[in-house]
């Protein structure tokens, strides 16, 4: 059972790393902070599309990673 949990933990960690690296950055530098404030409030819908899917994948894999880590520590 411990081996199966470790394999799932390794898979969750790889998915977490890949999904975080594929996400676009939130900051656009100094020019984005000055001129892009309205776009953040009224602009793009990041909850839909590619960034939204990657965000959900990151959240699920992070929760899975934390839970599996705690379970593995409790078992050993």
């Amino acid at each position: 059972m411990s081996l199966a949990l470790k394999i799932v933990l390794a898979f969750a960690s790889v998915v977490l790393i890949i999904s975080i690296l594929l996400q676009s950055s939130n900051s656009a530098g100094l020019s984005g902070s000055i001129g892009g404030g309205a776009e953040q409030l009224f602009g793009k819908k990041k909850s839909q599309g590619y960034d939204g899917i990657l965000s959900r994948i990151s959240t699920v894999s992070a929760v899975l990673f934390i839970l599996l880590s705690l379970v593995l520590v409790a078992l050993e």
Side-chain angles (χ1 to χ4, degrees):
M1 171 137 169
S2 177
L3 180 64
L5 289 176
K6 287 179 184 178
I7 291 171
V8 174
L9 179 66
F11 180 73
S13 64
V14 169
V15 169
L16 180 62
I17 291 168
I18 291 172
S19 66
I20 288 174
L21 288 176
L22 288 176
Q23 289 181 9
S24 62
S25 66
N26 289 337
S27 66
L30 184 59
S31 65
S33 65
I34 295 172
E39 184 179 321
Q40 289 178 355
L41 294 176
F42 306 109
K44 309 176 219 173
K45 292 184 180 179
K46 286 202 169 190
S47 64
Q48 298 173 351
Y50 185 68
D51 286 335
I53 292 170
L54 285 175
S55 176
R56 282 186 228 116
I57 290 172
S58 297
T59 303
V60 169
S61 59
V63 169
L64 186 64
F65 178 81
I66 292 170
L67 290 176
L68 286 173
S69 298
L70 291 173
V71 167
L72 282 170
V73 167
L75 286 177
E76 293 184 18

